[in-house]
Amino acid sequence: MRNFFQFQERQTSYKQETLAGITTFLSLAYILIVNPIILSESGMDQGAVFTATALSAIVGSLLIGFLANYPIGIAPSMGLNSFSRTEFVSEWGSRGKQP
């Protein structure tokens, strides 16, 4: 793993990467919990949003880690989700239905 992710060239260590991994995990766990709650307020199915959020984070993180050789985690943007939900609710009503 040290050679694959180029620890020497990137001046990092197992300890630093472990701490970064824990931080990333906690951030992604927060997004996985809060994102479905935010988007369900606009009428979206909470279970479907949870599944879509989890799958997009898993696939995106694996692709960027192994194909781009860049060890970071990615997930849907919380700010954009909140903005979209607020705009849809204010434009289409409290349950996100088109007029």
Side-chain angles (χ1 to χ4, degrees), residues 40-98:
S40 69
E41 291 177 8
S42 67
M44 294 182 178
D45 179 69
Q46 192 168 356
V49 174
F50 178 89
T51 302
T53 302
L55 289 175
S56 65
I58 291 167
V59 171
S61 296
L62 288 174
L63 286 174
I64 201 163
F66 291 112
L67 296 180
N69 195 14
Y70 199 63
I72 63 170
I74 59 173
S77 166
M78 296 293 292
L80 188 57
N81 291 341
S82 295
F83 175 77
S84 299
R85 188 259 338 217
T86 303
E87 287 301 307
F88 292 149
V89 169
S90 67
E91 181 70 28
W92 295 339
S94 64
R95 296 304 302 158
K97 306 285 190 243
Q98 286 184 333

